Amino acid sequence: MDTNDKGVRKIVDMITGFARSNSLFMLAYGTGCGDIEIPPAMTSRYDWERFGYRKMATPRQADVLLISGYLATKTLKRVIRSYEQMQEPKYVVAFGSCTINGGMYWDSYNTIKMLDHYIPVDVYINGCMPRPEAVMSGLFDLQEQIKKGEANGAQKYRENLEWYRGNQKKVIKNWVMPEYNW
Amino acid sequence: MTTENNNLEREEAVVVALKATFPDLTARVKRIRRVEASVSKALTPSVLVHAKNVLGYKALSHISCVDWIEDEHFELVYILWNPDEKIQLLIKTLISRENATMENIDTIWRQANTYQREMREMFGIEFPGFVGAKEFLLEDWDDMPPMRRDFDTKEFVKEAFFLRPGREDAKDVRDTIAKRSKEEIPEFAKKYSREK
Ligand code: SF4
């Protein structure tokens, strides 16, 4: 958290936090079956645009990476690339029990079980699959964290890159990507 | 479907037609609209060609593979469909599990290419002379083909991934429900229980 010399949060950070939390652009990248809950959440039934969320087409323009379900090791590779290409500030919301502990794919040979070992996760939403209300409540949590300046997954990633890379390379054996993507 | 409709004349005719050309094959009517034939490995391509060109089984719906690990062979099932007669024909053949190879049939049906790629990746069956991309669904897979029954998924998962603690005390669902509602579990079902 950014603080001044008296240990108090700087006013400018409060203002940026407020501004950031109210215009979140989300990368439209559905990974698992949970992505089917996103269309109702973003269209007229639940209409999350009224809270400032929008879907964005490219990682460079997005702030939030929503992992909507299980990740095959093949998909993980693409997710890592997308995540690293995103500009800071960036946040990860992981969605569904598959991202938490593997869910119903806990003994599958081709899906990862604990997402937070590969990329830093700011908010987990449980459920298989979470309803749009749950998704939105998770996003509200993220907003709160951003306002308080606590959503610092990207910083965690930067500082512990070696650990994350080690875990990533354990499952992605043929690493044909640049060492660092951003 | 009414019972009057249940005569199997058309299906019997298929069995007779197959046996007339290939005396070595065993065929039987499985149920209405489904005929099953067991063929030796060497004879399979000619039976498939015959079924396609003469008997009118124009469509290959799928090729599936069964791992009979106890008998040490794979069973390939070619599922054919006759769109005029509306009959499904299953052609089954056994191949040895050791160094499994099978004739490439993508010259008969092009879609067989996809199924053969899948079998090569998932069961490790080789198709000599067959051209297709090496990888089908998996990426950088260097272990045993995962659909073989001697591939231990659980052990592999423990090795390859991180497991969140808390899974160990998983209860047997059937037992838990039965206990809660004081239900009798039938004798034959007890051997499937995970509760020790
Ligand atoms: S948690 Fe359930 S709904 Fe979500 S990806 Fe996994 S299986 Fe699908």
Side-chain angles (χ1 to χ4, degrees), chain A residues 63-83:
Chain A
D63 303 312
V64 180
L65 180 58
L66 183 78
I67 306 291
S68 52
Y70 58 83
L71 281 180
T73 52
K74 202 171 173 178
T75 325
L76 179 70
K77 197 167 171 178
R78 280 76 185 166
V79 164
I80 292 167
R81 272 212 93 152
S82 310
Y83 179 69

Side-chain angles (χ1 to χ4, degrees), chain B residues 1-8 10-11 32-33:
Chain B
M1 202 159 286
T2 56
T3 37
E4 290 85 63
N5 238 341
N6 247 352
N7 76 34
L8 300 171
R10 285 158 58 242
E11 288 79 359
I32 190 160
R33 293 194 182 173

